[in-house]
Amino acid sequence: MSETHEQLMEKIVALSKRRGFIFQSSEIYGGINGFWDYGPLGVELKRNIKDVWWHDMVRRRNDMVGLDSAIIMNPKVWEASGHVVSFNDPLVDCTGCRARYRADQIFTVVAAEADNELLAAGVEANDEQHAREQATAAANSKTRRRIKQRGDDLSWAVFRADQGGDGRPALCPNCNAELTAARKFNMMFKTFVGAMEDSSAVAYLRPETAQGIFANYKNVLDTSRMRLPFGIAQIGKSFRNEINPRNYIFRSREFEQMEIEFFCHASGADQWYRYWRDARFQWYVDLGLTSSKLRLRDHDQDELAHYAASCADVEYEFPFGVSELEGVANRTDYDLSRHQEFSGRDMSYYDDQTKERFIPYVIEPSGGVDRAALAFLCEAYTEDQAPDEHGNPQPRTVMKFHPRLAPIKLAVFPLVKREGMPELAQRIYDEATGSGLSAFYDEKGAVGRRYRRQDEAGTPFCATVDGQSLEDNTVTVRDRDTLEQIRLPADEVVSWVAERIR
Ligand code: ATP
C-alpha cells in the first residue's frame, strides 16, 4: 500500500469515528480485535444498504421471497454443508515473536508458478525488471486465490514452499525468525447449547446465512406456493473466527451478509448464473460505485470449489487494494443433495408441466453488508472546495453518498433563532420525519458551519429558512454535490426531496 493510499484510508477511518459512523467495539476496555460497532450515522447507512437490497431483490420481484433463520442451527447442518470438515484457514506461527498469520497471506509465490508467469510476461514485455515485477504480482494473487479456493492437501503442501521456492522455511515479516509449517484452523465459533458443556452440546455460530435457506427450502416451497425458478433471500449476522481480521471493517469476525439462493432447473442454471452475476454487479453501479473501481472477475476453472460450475467475484478497488465485495456462484445441486443425504428428507422438486422430478440447481449471490458499507464510504469520501459566507473558496470534506444510501436525506436550518424562522424550519422537519424521511434539525452556529457538518455526514439536501421565507413562504435548498441553491415553496420541499431519493 503506497503512502497516499494509507493516508486516505486513515482519513476515512478518522472521519468515520469523528462523525459517528463506526466505532471500535468495547473501546472503553481497549477494544476487541475483529469486532466493530456502528454509530448513529453508520447504523443509518447500513440500514439503508440492507433496505435498498431488500427492496430491489425481494419486494420488487415476484420470483423472490424472504427468510430470517436462526443463527444457531442443528450442528448436523454444518456437517452436511462441509463446514465442520473443510471450513479451514491455513495457520502458521512465528517461532521467534510468536505472531500468528494466515499462511496464504504470507507465502506468496510458489516457484513453479512464478516461473511460468515470468516466462509469459517476459515474452510479452521486453523489459526484464518490469516483467519480473509484473510476473511476481500476478503469481502472488493467483496463487493466493488458488490456495484459498481449493483447500486440499496439495495446497497445504504448497505452504511449505518459501518465497524463492528453494525449500527453506519462510520467515516472519515481523522479526525474520522461521515460521512453522501450516496447519488447519477451523473458523467456526463454537458454543454450548443448554447446561452441559460436553461434546454433545456443541453448536456453532453460523459462518454464513446460506445454510438457513437450504434447511428451509422445503418449508418455503410447501408454504409459499413458489414454483421454479425462484429465490429465497436472507440478511443476517454471520461469524467467522478469522485468524487475521484486518482492513478495518473489511474482514471482521462478526459481520452481516445479504444472500440469495436462486433455485432453478439444471438446464437453465448457466443462464441464471450469468443473469445474477450481471444484475448484482449493476446493483453496485446503480448505487454509485464508479465502474472504474468496481470490477467483475470470473474465476478460472482451477479456482472453482469442487461443487461449483462457475463463479465470479464483484470486486472493489479499496485504498488497501482490490478485494471481494460479493461472490456469485453456480453451486449446482450440491447443497440440496448433501442436505437430502444427511437429513434423510426428500429435497426433490416435481415439475407438473414436464412431469420431471429433480433436485434443483442453485445460483448464489452472496454479499457482505459491511464490505458494501466500506466501499460506499470509500467511494463517497471527497475533498473539494466550497465557498464560505464571504464567497471565498474553502477546502471541505464531503461524503457523496448516493441519495438512497445517505444516512440523513434532508437537514433543515433556520438562518437565525428568531423572527419565526425556527418555527417554519421545525414544521418542515416534522413533515419530513412524519413522511419517513430521515431528517436533521440544526439551529446552532453559523450556517456555513452547519453546511459543512452535513457535508461530512453525506446529507444530499439542506433547506434553510431565511428572512425571505417569512414573506413568501419559500426556502433555499442547497445541493451537496453541485452546491447549487434553488428556492422552493416551503410546503414542497419534502416531496421534492422524496422524489430525488427514490
Ligand atoms: P474472503 O475471501 O474475503 O475471506 P470469502 O470468499 O470467504 O471471502 P464468502 O464465503 O464467499 O467469502 O462470503 C460471502 C461474502 O460475505 C463475501 O463476499 C463478503 O462480502 C462477506 N464476508 C465473508 N467473510 C467476511 C468477513 N470476515 N468480514 C466481512 N465480510 C465477510
Side-chain angles (χ1 to χ4, degrees), residues 9 12 293 316 318-320 373-381 399:
M9 198 59 216
I12 293 167
K293 284 198 178 142
Y316 183 73
F318 291 98
F320 48 81
L374 183 57
F376 290 126
L377 279 167
C378 292
E379 185 78 23
Y381 185 91
M399 298 300 284

Side-chain angles (χ1 to χ4, degrees), residues 148 240 242 250-252 255 257 324-325 366 368 371:
K148 207 178 98 44
R240 296 183 187 181
E242 299 274 359
F250 179 83
R251 185 177 302 289
S252 47
F255 54 97
Q257 290 184 306
E324 172 185 333
L325 280 186
S366 168
R371 286 190 188 178

